[in-house]
């Protein structure tokens, strides 16, 4: 079975929103508002400065995705590419889908002159942590903090 990686387009919006909603539930037991997620996905697809999605297809059937956003580093005078919104359909997990997505985004980042790739992972998600380590990513020394605004 062939696995192809491509940039997402508007026709992928429904799958991307569904996968984001599923990922939030699986990783954090967080129920997201589907309309908000759909608008968020379209905002990335409509405005490339925000980032982009990659979609993995096995025999032309979408089986997973990730999103990339950018963070400017004045220390390094370049962009970090943040890998976010990673999702692989349950039946496709463990078959190399994320590895293929990661290798593609890494090659794209290198070609674009990015200074590095970053992602965050739930502390309890040991399976994902093993996957990322297995691909050569290293745990960094930062803790993440946030201050929610609005609602």
């Amino acid at each position: 079975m062939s696995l192809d990686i491509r940039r997402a387009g508007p026709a992928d919006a429904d799958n991307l929103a569904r996968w984001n909603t599923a990922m939030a539930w699986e990783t954090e037991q967080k129920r997201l508002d589907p309309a908000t997620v759909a608008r968020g996905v379209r905002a990335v697809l409509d405005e490339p400065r925000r980032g982009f999605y990659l979609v993995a297809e096995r025999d032309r059937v979408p089986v997973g995705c990730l999103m990339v956003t950018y963070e400017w580093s004045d220390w390094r005078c370049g962009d970090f590419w943040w890998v976010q919104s990673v999702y692989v359909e349950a039946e496709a997990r463990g078959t190399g889908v994320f590895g293929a997505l990661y290798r593609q985004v890494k090659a794209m980042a290198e070609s674009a002159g990015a200074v590095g790739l970053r992602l965050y992972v739930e502390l309890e998600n040991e399976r994902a942590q093993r996957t990322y380590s297995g691909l050569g990513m290293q745990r960094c020394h930062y803790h993440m903090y946030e201050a929610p605004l609005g609602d």
Side-chain angles (χ1 to χ4, degrees):
M1 291 195 281
S2 69
L3 184 66
D4 296 303
I5 308 298
R6 63 173 175 77
R7 272 183 103 112
D12 296 300
D14 289 344
N15 274 338
L16 295 169
R18 180 176 55 82
W19 288 334
N20 279 322
T21 302
M23 184 263 305
W25 179 252
E26 288 179 26
T27 60
E28 300 180 38
Q29 285 71 56
K30 188 175 281 190
R31 291 202 190 279
L32 301 180
D33 175 51
T36 300
V37 174
R39 284 193 318 273
V41 166
R42 279 192 233 89
V44 172
L45 295 172
D46 292 344
E47 188 59 57
R49 71 175 174 80
R50 289 190 169 115
F52 63 90
Y53 289 94
L54 293 180
V55 172
E57 290 184 329
R58 181 158 280 141
D59 296 325
R60 299 185 192 178
V61 176
V63 294
C65 68
L66 61 72
M67 179 179 71
V68 171
T69 59
Y70 312 107
E71 173 193 4
W72 178 254
S73 172
D74 54 352
W75 288 11
R76 295 183 176 101
C77 191
D79 285 311
F80 277 96
W81 283 25
W82 278 86
V83 175
Q84 300 182 63
S85 299
V86 173
Y87 192 79
V88 176
E89 292 279 4
E91 61 275 5
R93 293 177 190 163
T95 66
V97 173
F98 177 73
L101 284 162
Y102 176 79
R103 286 186 294 279
Q104 177 67 31
V105 81
K106 184 177 179 190
M108 292 170 71
E110 288 171 340
S111 292
V115 298
L117 294 175
R118 288 183 169 165
L119 58 78
Y120 54 88
V121 60
E122 289 291 315
L123 295 174
E124 296 82 21
N125 194 342
E126 294 176 5
R127 180 179 179 179
Q129 292 173 41
R130 285 190 303 273
T131 297
Y132 303 145
S133 293
L135 290 167
M137 296 190 86
Q138 302 168 3
R139 188 173 178 182
C140 64
H141 59 275
Y142 296 105
H143 286 278
M144 187 172 162
Y145 291 79
E146 71 177 347
L149 304 174
D151 302 335

